[in-house]
Each structure stands twice: as structure tokens, then as C-alpha cells.
Amino acid sequence: MPHHTLSASDAQTTPVRLRAGDPAALAAEVERLRVDVERLGRAEKLQRALFAISDLASSGEDTATVMKGLHEIVGRLMYAENFYIVRYSPERDTMRFIYFADSLDPVQPDPDEEIPASEMGNSLTLALIRLGRPVLGPSTDVRVELGVTRDESLGPDSEDWLGVPMVDEGVVRGAVVVQSYDPQSRYSEDDRALLSYVAQHILTALARRDAKAELEHRVDERTRELREQVVERERSEKLQAALFRIAEQAGRSESIEVFYAEVHGIVSDLLDARNFFIALLTPDGQELDFPYSVDERDQARPRRRLAKGLTEFVLATGAPLLADRDGIHNLVAEGKVQSFGTPSVCWLGVPLQIEGRVAGVIAVQSYTPDYLYTKRDQELLSFVSFHIAQALERRQAHESLREAYAELEQRVAARTSELAEANRELLDQISVRERMEHKLKHEAMHDTLTGLPNRSHLLGRMGMALSRYRHDPGQLFAVLFLDLDRFKVVNDSVGHLVGDELLKEAARRIGRCVRDPDMVARLGGDEFAIVLDFIHTAEDAVAVAERVIDALAEPMRIAGKELYTSASIGIALVDGRYRSPEELLRDADVAMYRAKATGRQRYALFDEHLHEAALKLLELEGDLRRALQRQEFVPHYQPILTLADGHLVGFEALMRWHHPVRGLCAPGEFMGTAEETGALEQMDWQIYDRVCSDIARLASGRAYTTLNVSPRHLRAPDFDQRLLELMGRHGVKPVNLRLEVTEGALLEQPEVVQACLARLREAGVLTLLDDFGTGYSSLSYLHRFPLHGLKIDRSFVAELRSGESGGSTAIVRAIRLLADSLGLEVIAEGIEAEEQRYQLRLLGLSLGQGYLFSKPASADDILERYGLAST
């Protein structure tokens, strides 16, 4: 982390004192209080909106209702009469307008239509997604800024247009846009920052709904497959039953006429057989006889001589015929058949094979288009015709009939066995798939590593407990949020496999600390949660937390190594203000961070103070993001002088924040939050840019300026190139710029850091080692890294005493001798008294900085103080 100098005045705020009868001071105080109240109101309003988005995404409402709800939520934060949400797929390079509300644009995009980006070349929305950052202004100005041309098919121009991208892990996944056609309704920078923050929560909410919809789709798809299997199974069973009935009637019917009628009934159960007949060749093969016929149009079918009808066509070809009206007309047109009786809409006939020759035909037909026969019907009727033929053969010759009956029994038995085997296999497959489905459901709700319930399962359990509490406030429960301390050290030192075993052992130990109805879940990484049902007071939850801390404090023997870990635990007790499980889990998480911040291996109960702190942190995060956009971070400079005569040799650039309300803020007030939110790197580069622009004025008399550089910058592969390009844009000479790095920065990826500093040294940019003496103070890296000098930490300077030979005096003397032997320049920091300056000179030091000479000040103040303003 870069070094920043704090003064006593930086860390204190002078209280406002009002004199009686001072109206101006009173009015100023009232205005300050009003601004504070408005800011708190906006923060509370934003929090309610974020909670509302989370609740809406978790609800069971349909997508249209959820989209409209999101529109209403944004409308409560800003003017949003014209509002739309776009989802973008970078994999397919397509856009979907999942919600669109516009008072002037009559075109309503289909929310399910994926529009290729190639078709939206002049779209402001696509240009915004490509740019990847918020854009604000009249649509004409925004079009110029984004480099697109006017396309009237994409909607009318707006007086003010505000769009923000929705980003997930650095990838743009969509955008949220509001626009105004009213010149009186404009958007501000606050609206842009607010919509950017809300857009990320909207993306999270949409992603959560997408995951839920995907799961439901998979369940529906699986249900449909099983239903189709059941239908197929029922069809097979129905066919099997029909075969049994045909076989039964063939041997049991009193007469052939009864057998025909029974067959007609069986066929009617399997397909539409309202019009059904059986035709047989006479023994001389010259005529057709119709021993059985049922028809809606042709009541009687007398015997007739062979002609060119459809029945004769089947007899001649010996193959089934399935023909609709057009097919029959084609056969007639080709001269292959002649039409007899009432024309059919669909006709199906199959040959009857008796003693190896075609001796007849069985046919069905439909006179209306409400039923058309299929190939399945053809196969079924062909099978039925076979059994009819067998019955006729038995009637012709008793012996042949008996043999045919034996063969029929054998075939029926084989077919029955095949169907039974197929049925058993189908049941086995259903059983296997049911087990797989149960396994998939279990895996979807449990952690694969520890077997514990996962976050989704935990939230469901917490939801049920919250419902019980709402019906009966006496059924208290609590949520414990656990984070293993220093788990990353274990992973980095002994590897992820050992780390996984440590997580398993930790899960077992946590599980032994709770009762049977309680739930232990793994949320991911080294985070766990416990739901304690049916407790009486907060002391019950505290007792469990203490047991868990004691259990995890015991050493673990894993892979031949004795490992240690501990846990920081946050506790949230249910009360009437909670409306969702996520709120309870969030507050337990906040309490856990409080426990970790106060020393780790302990617990903390969530209370209103933590809630207020979380709100303040949220407000500070928003202020930091807005400060970056407004470039409110500025450098202040502290001179580096010769101790002998106070000659100016350089400056150290230190970050300050010009907050619009709190005024000038020192790094200690915001640096920790900036590093956690990932904003610190952008802040540094803003400071670097301002410093490079100031160096042209500060460099009079060959004075140099030092920049504090964090380890993250030094590990970046392009840091040196980027810094040199920045210097080139501002015309900064390498002799006028130096870097300050801490000992810790040199120890993280030392090869990468050494190469970076070496390239900068070759370019003429020198490096100083900051805060020397407070870390390892190793000679190896002083010799190994290309350092130009070092700065003695202020803690040693503050302890210098006249006449003292040991203590800090000995340390400073040793550092100076060490630096002299290595040819390094030495600068003393934190000189606040003349006595310290005197002692440093006695110890042979020639350079220093501190409040004795000057506090950090703006570039203009420094230039005026040292008479450099005119140069």
C-alpha cells in the first residue's frame, strides 16, 4: 500500500460553535444539517430500492410483472417514464430488449427476440455496451460521443439520455437506459452514479431469476420425457391386451361370423373402424365375397366379379395400401383402379394370407377428414389380418387349424415374453432415471465437497423458519455466519487438496457442535452458516458460537501435517424487521466482519450500531465512486530538504480527497474502503496524472517529486510502460520523478517487481525504499533490487534523544552506515522538532522531511511558499 502522511489536523474535525446572535453561522449550520438529512434520506431510499429489487427477483411473479416492478423501483429513484433493460450475450453478440417502456417510440421490441448486433450498427445502446461505461447527455451529444449516426428507425431523439452498462466480472452483460423527452426533466451525475449502482443489482437479480428459470425448464423437460414414456408404455399395454383378445376369440368363437364381429370390436378399440369390411376370393378365384361388412354409407356389399377396385389392387399387389383422396384420384388417373361405392377420404386395406397365397383383404375407410389413418394403423391392421387368416385356415382343415393354433400359442407366448421383458426394462429405466433425478436434486441443493447443504438450501430453510416466526413470534431462531481465519495461507502454503481436506474436517467439527434440528451449510470458499431453530435467547446462539470456536481451535492432522485454523462468527437473531432470509444472512455477514476486524477467533452479535455502520460504508462506497467520476482526488506535496541549510531538493506527493461535504479528507478516512472495493488503483492513476501535470512547475531547480506505488501496480505487467507513457504525455523528464515502494511490495512476486523496477531504472526513473526499518529490513533485497535510496521511518526519528547512544539513535546510525556502504541515498521522515533535526545531522544524515519544515499542501501553496510561482 502506498505510504501517506497523516497530520493531527487531518484526523480531527473542528466542532461548529455558534455564537448567540450570529444569524449567518446559525443559517450555515441549519443548511449543513439539511444536506446531511437529505443525504441520509437518499441512502435510505437507495437501500429500500435494493431490498425491493432483491425481493422482486426472489418472488414467484412472472417475468413481465418483475420487469414492470423494476421499472417502478427505478422510477422512485429518478425520472424514469422512458425506461428499458437490454440483455447482451457477448458469446453470440446479440441483444434482447427484455423490457421496454417509451412514451414516444411506438415500436415495442419482442422481449424474447435476439437481435444480432450487426443489425444495430447505429444503436446508442449497442455503442454503450461496446464502451462499457455510463454515458449521460442529450441523445445528439451522446451519439457524437459514441461515434454513431442518426437512424430514425431506432426511435426519436431525447432531451436527455442516460445509459449504464450491467457488468459481471468485467464482462458487459447488458444495459439499463432512461431517457427524457421533456426539457424540464434532466439527469445529473448523481443519477448516473445511482443508476450504475442499481444496474448491478438488477443484473444480479436477473441472473438469479435466469438460474431459477433454467432449473424449472430442466424439471419440465424431464417431466415431459417421463410422460411420453408413460404414454408409450400404456400404448404397448393396450396393444398387448388386444393381441390377447384376438388370440382368445380365434379359438373360442362359436362361429366364423361371431369371430369376425369380435375382431371388428377389437380393431375398433385400437383405431377408427366405423367402416370395416372383410373380402375373400371365392374358391375359383373369379369373384369377391364380403362375409363381414359394416359401413355408414354402403349398407350392403354383395358378391361381385373381380374388377379394378381398391380391394382388387391389394389382392394383385399382395401389399397393404394406405391412400388418401388425392392418392385414390392418382390411382384412378393412372388407370390402375376404378372407384366403387361412396368415395373415401382415407382408405386402408391389407391382404389376408391363407396357406401362403393372398386370399382376401381386410379394410377400413373414413368418409370425413377428422380421422386419417397412419403407418402405425397399417402395421396394426396387417397383424390383425394375419390372425383372421389363421382362423379361416382352421375352419378349412381341423388338423391345419390345430397346428396353426399351437404355432399361434407359441408366437403369442414369445411375443408376450418380449413385451413383458420390454416392460421390465422400461420399469428398470424409470427407476434408474428416478434415482438420477433424486441425485441431481440432491447435488443442486448440497455442496459437492463437504456434502453440506448449499446457499440455496440454506435460504429455503431460513425462509421456512422466518414464516414460522411470523405466525408465532415465540419461535425464535438465529443465523451464524462463519469465516475460517487465515484459510488462504493454508491453501497457498500446502495446496488446494490439503485445503479441501481442512474444509471437510472443519465441516465435521461444526456439525458436532449443533443439535439435530439445526442446519449447517457451506456458502462457498471458507464460509459456513448455521441455522439454530427453536432457541430462547441470544445466549443460546452465543453458546453454540463458543463451542464452534473451541472446536476449530484444536489442531487438525491432515496429510501428515498439523494445521491450525480458527473462525470469526457473526450472529443475527431474528426479529420483526426482517422480511427475507437474505436480510438475516446479510446482517450475520456484517457481524462476522466486525468479529474479524476486532481480532478474529471470536464472535459478534449484530445490532443497530452495525446496521448504521453498514449504511455508512455503503454511503462511503457510493461517494468514492462519484469522487472518481468527478476527479475529486488531488495530490498534496511535502517538501524534502537538506538538513543543513533547508535547501529544497524534492517533494513527496500524498493523496487527499476534496469531499464536497466533509471537505479535505486524509487517506486514513477512506483508503481501506477504496482498497476493498477495488477503486484504489483508479484513484492512484488519477493522482499520478495530476502529479505529472504539476511537475512542470515543481521541478524548478531540478527538484524531483516522488510517487507512492502499491504492490498491485508493481505486479501489473504493463505498469512501467503505462507510467512512462503518462510521463511522455506530460513532458516529464525521468530525473524529475521518483517512486516510493514499501518493503512488503518487494516480497510479493519479487522476480516480477525486480524486472519492473529494472526497466524503470533503465529509463531513468529512480526508486526509494519507504518506511525502512519497520519490516524485514533484509540486506538481501537492498542488494538485489535496483534501489537508489531509502527513507527512515518516522517511528525511529520520533524517538531520537540528545546524548543517547542506544535505542533509535543506534538504529538510525546503523541504517546510515548500511546505506553508505551500498551507495544509497538516505532521507529521514517525520521530523517535527529542531532537536530531531540536530540529532540527525550529528548522525550524518543530510536529507529529511516533516512538519518542522512544512505540512503537505497543494501545488499552488507550495509554489507560493518557496517562491516558485513565477518560474
Side-chain angles (χ1 to χ4, degrees):
M1 181 185 297
H3 173 72
H4 301 279
T5 303
L6 295 175
S7 68
S9 60
D10 291 330
Q12 297 178 357
T13 302
T14 304
V16 177
R17 296 177 180 175
L18 301 179
R19 297 192 303 273
D22 189 351
L26 179 60
E29 177 63 10
V30 169
E31 176 63 17
R32 185 184 67 81
L33 292 176
R34 185 188 65 77
V35 171
D36 288 344
V37 170
E38 288 181 356
R39 186 173 67 254
L40 290 174
R42 289 196 300 270
E44 183 179 2
K45 188 175 181 180
L46 174 60
Q47 183 189 27
R48 288 199 300 268
L50 298 184
F51 288 164
I53 290 173
S54 179
D55 290 341
L56 190 62
S58 304
S59 68
E61 300 290 347
D62 57 52
T63 301
T65 302
V66 171
M67 293 296 104
K68 186 175 181 181
L70 291 175
H71 186 180
E72 293 175 355
I73 292 169
V74 174
R76 290 195 291 268
L77 298 175
M78 64 182 67
Y79 175 73
E81 179 183 1
N82 307 292
F83 170 84
Y84 60 89
I85 303 175
V86 176
R87 295 299 297 274
Y88 174 69
S89 171
E91 295 80 12
R92 298 189 295 274
D93 197 22
T94 58
M95 302 165 56
R96 279 193 309 120
F97 288 82
I98 63 175
Y99 182 78
F100 190 89
D102 196 289
S103 59
L104 294 184
D105 194 345
V107 178
Q108 289 292 325
D110 184 354
D112 296 324
E113 180 185 3
E114 289 202 29
I115 305 174
S118 58
E119 298 179 6
M120 303 287 287
N122 293 320
S123 167
L124 290 179
T125 308
L126 177 60
L128 168 69
I129 291 172
R130 300 286 197 222
L131 183 63
R133 61 174 175 81
V135 177
L136 169 63
S139 59
T140 54
D141 296 346
V142 172
R143 191 177 299 112
V144 173
E145 179 181 352
L146 297 179
V148 297
T149 58
R150 177 79 171 97
D151 189 342
E152 294 183 358
S153 66
L154 298 178
D157 276 336
S158 56
E159 293 292 335
D160 215 4
W161 195 90
L162 171 58
V164 298
M166 296 190 294
V167 183
D168 180 19
E169 295 183 353
V171 179
V172 178
R173 297 290 182 181
V176 177
V177 177
V178 294
Q179 52 187 335
S180 170
Y181 300 114
D182 183 2
Q184 302 302 320
S185 299
R186 297 283 187 171
Y187 299 107
S188 65
E189 290 297 330
D190 286 344
D191 293 331
R192 174 160 64 178
L194 179 63
L195 191 60
S196 297
Y197 193 72
V198 171
Q200 295 308 117
H201 286 75
I202 290 177
L203 177 60
T204 302
L206 294 177
R208 193 160 67 238
R209 284 188 66 85
D210 290 346
K212 180 181 178 183
E214 176 64 19
L215 178 60
E216 292 175 350
H217 173 73
R218 290 172 58 191
V219 171
D220 291 342
E221 185 70 19
R222 180 62 187 143
T223 303
R224 183 186 63 78
E225 293 177 359
L226 292 175
R227 187 178 294 113
E228 291 177 355
Q229 293 175 2
V230 170
V231 170
E232 185 63 28
R233 176 185 171 190
E234 290 176 350
R235 184 181 293 115
S236 299
E237 291 176 347
K238 188 173 182 180
L239 175 60
Q240 181 182 4
L243 296 179
F244 274 110
R245 289 175 60 194
I246 291 175
E248 182 181 21
Q249 294 301 325
R252 194 177 67 177
S253 299
E254 299 175 358
S255 65
I256 192 65
E257 291 78 8
V258 173
F259 174 68
Y260 289 153
E262 293 290 344
V263 168
H264 183 201
I266 294 171
V267 172
S268 297
D269 291 338
L270 301 176
L271 51 82
D272 186 293
R274 289 173 290 180
N275 306 289
F276 174 87
F277 69 84
I278 298 174
L280 296 176
L281 280 172
T282 56
D284 60 7
Q286 300 299 314
E287 294 182 316
L288 272 179
D289 187 22
F290 298 91
Y292 185 84
S293 176
V294 175
D295 196 278
E296 296 174 316
R297 305 290 177 86
D298 299 327
Q299 300 297 325
R301 293 184 185 274
R303 177 184 293 191
R304 61 178 173 81
R305 293 189 62 81
L306 293 178
K308 297 182 68 177
L310 293 173
T311 306
E312 286 87 340
F313 184 81
V314 174
L315 288 171
T317 60
L321 173 63
L322 173 60
D324 56 11
R325 179 169 292 174
D326 292 339
I328 296 173
H329 287 168
N330 291 336
L331 291 173
V332 173
E334 294 172 2
K336 295 181 179 179
V337 300
Q338 293 178 350
S339 179
F340 292 94
T342 305
S344 303
V345 173
C346 190
W347 194 91
L348 172 61
V350 297
L352 287 172
Q353 298 279 348
I354 299 177
E355 295 182 350
R357 63 184 181 87
V358 179
V361 173
I362 179 171
V364 292
Q365 55 187 328
S366 172
Y367 296 112
T368 59
D370 60 341
Y371 189 89
L372 301 177
Y373 299 106
T374 65
K375 287 294 183 180
R376 180 183 287 273
D377 298 330
Q378 177 181 315
E379 294 172 358
L380 175 64
L381 199 59
S382 297
F383 190 76
V384 171
S385 71
F386 171 78
H387 290 280
I388 295 174
Q390 291 296 323
L392 293 174
E393 289 179 0
R394 286 197 302 273
R395 297 291 177 177
Q396 292 175 359
H398 181 71
E399 187 63 29
S400 299
L401 178 61
R402 187 168 57 187
E403 293 177 359
Y405 185 73
E407 182 182 357
L408 177 62
E409 283 187 337
Q410 182 179 1
R411 292 188 178 186
V412 169
R415 182 58 178 162
T416 302
S417 176
E418 292 175 3
L419 291 175
E421 182 64 26
N423 191 32
R424 283 193 299 271
E425 291 179 0
L426 181 59
L427 289 174
D428 291 341
Q429 292 177 6
I430 292 175
S431 177
V432 170
R433 292 180 180 180
E434 286 177 347
R435 289 196 299 270
M436 291 176 62
E437 183 175 357
H438 177 74
K439 181 180 179 182
L440 288 174
K441 288 181 178 178
H442 182 273
E443 291 177 351
M445 300 298 289
H446 289 77
D447 174 49
T448 55
L449 177 64
T450 63
L452 294 176
N454 60 13
R455 181 183 291 270
S456 298
H457 197 171
L458 174 75
L459 292 176
R461 175 68 171 274
M462 290 172 62
M464 291 188 293
L466 194 56
S467 298
R468 286 199 309 268
Y469 174 77
R470 289 173 182 167
H471 287 90
D472 181 8
Q475 297 194 27
L476 291 176
F477 71 96
V479 179
L480 279 64
F481 197 106
L482 292 77
D483 183 87
L484 299 183
D485 300 326
R486 299 179 68 254
F487 175 72
K488 185 177 184 302
V489 175
V490 175
N491 258 357
D492 294 342
S493 58
V494 296
H496 290 278
L497 293 178
V498 176
D500 289 346
E501 292 302 318
L502 186 146
L503 289 174
K504 292 179 184 178
E505 177 60 23
R508 287 190 287 268
R509 293 190 181 187
I510 296 171
R512 291 195 291 266
C513 297
V514 299
R515 304 163 301 172
D516 200 16
D518 302 328
M519 174 185 279
V520 178
R522 183 185 178 212
L523 304 181
D526 59 345
E527 294 179 345
F528 296 85
I530 302 174
V531 179
L532 301 177
D533 283 325
F534 311 113
I535 63 174
H536 299 91
T537 63
E539 284 71 17
D540 296 337
V542 168
V544 174
E546 290 175 343
R547 287 202 299 270
V548 171
I549 290 173
D550 293 340
L552 293 177
E554 296 294 326
M556 300 181 185
R557 192 72 180 177
I558 299 175
K561 297 180 177 60
E562 191 172 77
L563 303 178
Y564 292 87
T565 188
S566 60
S568 298
I569 303 177
I571 304 172
L573 188 67
V574 68
D575 60 34
R577 73 172 182 273
Y578 290 112
R579 291 292 177 266
S580 69
E582 289 83 0
E583 294 178 4
L584 261 169
L585 195 62
R586 175 204 64 204
D587 288 349
D589 188 15
V590 170
M592 182 275 294
Y593 276 105
R594 171 58 61 86
K596 190 177 288 289
T598 54
R600 303 188 178 184
Q601 198 171 358
R602 61 191 64 206
Y603 64 85
L605 279 166
F606 182 83
D607 55 22
E608 286 303 322
H609 296 297
L610 286 179
H611 183 63
E612 293 173 2
L615 288 178
K616 290 181 180 178
L617 179 60
L618 180 64
E619 180 183 356
L620 180 57
E621 291 179 4
D623 286 348
L624 284 174
R625 296 182 186 277
R626 287 187 289 273
L628 276 171
Q629 295 171 354
R630 300 170 181 170
Q631 296 190 348
E632 295 174 354
F633 299 101
V634 296
H636 275 207
Y637 300 93
Q638 186 174 46
I640 302 173
L641 309 168
T642 59
L643 298 180
D645 54 8
H647 176 68
L648 179 67
V649 297
F651 304 93
E652 179 179 1
L654 301 168
M655 183 185 298
R656 294 293 184 268
W657 179 11
H658 269 304
H659 194 280
V661 177
R662 296 198 295 264
L664 193 65
C665 299
E669 301 178 40
F670 59 87
M671 195 63 72
T673 303
E675 187 167 13
E676 290 179 3
T677 58
L680 183 57
E681 187 172 354
Q682 292 178 264
M683 292 160 52
D684 283 341
W685 280 108
Q686 280 192 9
I687 293 296
Y688 296 165
D689 185 75
R690 296 287 292 271
V691 170
C692 286
S693 66
D694 289 340
I695 284 180
R697 298 184 294 163
L698 296 173
S700 177
R702 298 184 60 82
Y704 60 82
T705 302
T706 67
L707 293 177
N708 288 287
V709 181
S710 69
R712 179 179 298 181
H713 289 307
L714 294 177
R715 293 194 300 269
D718 62 341
F719 171 73
D720 54 323
Q721 181 181 356
R722 187 175 176 184
L723 180 62
L724 292 173
E725 289 175 355
L726 178 63
M727 293 167 58
R729 288 199 301 271
H730 289 280
V732 176
K733 298 178 181 179
V735 71
N736 296 127
L737 184 68
R738 297 186 183 181
L739 306 182
E740 291 191 25
V741 299
T742 60
E743 296 181 57
L746 303 180
L747 299 178
E748 297 182 18
Q749 299 184 8
E751 292 79 9
V752 175
V753 173
Q754 181 188 24
C756 177
L757 295 180
R759 290 192 296 269
L760 288 170
R761 181 67 174 265
E762 290 177 4
V765 179
L766 303 179
T767 303
L768 304 177
L769 182 60
D770 196 12
D771 296 338
F772 185 75
T774 59
Y776 294 96
S777 302
S778 172
L779 296 177
S780 62
Y781 62 72
L782 285 177
H783 176 73
R784 179 180 177 184
F785 290 91
L787 299 174
H788 176 74
L790 53 85
K791 302 182 77 171
I792 300 177
D793 187 70
R794 65 180 60 250
S795 60
F796 301 113
V797 175
E799 297 296 327
L800 291 176
R801 299 290 184 271
S802 297
E804 183 182 55
S805 60
S808 293
T809 300
I811 294 175
V812 172
R813 181 184 294 109
I815 294 174
R816 197 267 301 168
L817 293 174
L818 173 64
D820 288 346
S821 65
L822 296 175
L824 298 178
E825 180 181 88
V826 181
I827 301 172
E829 294 185 296
I831 305 174
E832 298 184 358
E834 188 63 42
E835 180 184 359
Q836 296 169 355
R837 175 184 182 180
Y838 178 73
Q839 292 298 321
L840 289 169
R841 290 191 63 193
L842 289 180
L843 292 172
L845 273 75
S846 60
L847 299 175
Q849 64 185 91
Y851 284 6
L852 176 63
F853 308 111
S854 174
K855 293 182 179 181
S858 66
D860 292 337
D861 291 343
I862 287 293
L863 292 171
E864 183 176 356
R865 182 179 305 168
Y866 287 93
L868 303 175
S870 61
T871 60

